Amino acid sequence: MPEAVNLAEKLSKFSEHWSPKTVSKFNGHDIMVVKVKGEFNWHHHDDTDDFFMVLEGRIRIETENGDVELGPGELYVIPKGIEHRPVAEEEAHLMLIEKSGTPNTGDEATAAKITEI
C-alpha cells in the first residue's frame, strides 16, 4: 500500500545539523530533509542547480551575487556554478532536491554522507 512521506516525522528522527537524509527519490533526484544551524562552507556545484525550501525557521543564503533571506514555505534555486553558503542563526529545517550522488559541498572529498531515513 503506498504511503505518504511525512516530512515532520522524518525530521523528528534525527538531531544532527548539516547531515541531509533522503526521504524519497524522483526522476534521478534525491528529495532530502536536513536540520541546519550556523554557517555552512562556501561552495558551488559545477553540474547542477541547488534547490532549498524552508519548512521551519529562517535561513540566509549568501551568494557571490548577494544574499537571499528565506522563511517557512519559501524556496530558492541557486544556479549551477554560483558560489554560495547557507546560514541559519537558529535551527531551521529544510527540504533539498538534488541529482542523486551530488556532494553537498560540491566536492566528494568533503561532502557529508547522505543517508536514507
Side-chain angles (χ1 to χ4, degrees), residues 39-51:
E39 299 173 348
F40 199 60
N41 57 320
W42 283 95
H43 67 283
H44 68 278
H45 303 275
D46 289 326
D47 301 319
T48 185
D49 299 337
D50 215 353
F51 174 99

Side-chain angles (χ1 to χ4, degrees), residues 27-92:
N27 290 335
H29 289 70
D30 293 330
I31 299 173
M32 299 170 284
V33 292
V34 64
K35 292 181 179 180
V36 299
K37 185 175 180 182
E39 299 173 348
F40 199 60
N41 57 320
W42 283 95
H43 67 283
H44 68 278
H45 303 275
D46 289 326
D47 301 319
T48 185
D49 299 337
D50 215 353
F51 174 99
F52 291 83
M53 181 171 182
V54 176
L55 303 171
E56 181 179 310
R58 299 195 62 76
I59 68 166
R60 178 177 67 255
I61 300 177
E62 298 175 346
T63 80
E64 61 187 57
N65 299 327
D67 299 349
V68 178
E69 300 276 344
L70 299 174
E74 295 182 315
L75 68 87
Y76 185 69
V77 176
I78 299 160
K80 67 182 175 183
I82 299 295
E83 195 76 17
H84 64 280
R85 79 169 176 176
V87 177
E89 302 298 326
E90 302 293 331
E91 184 175 271

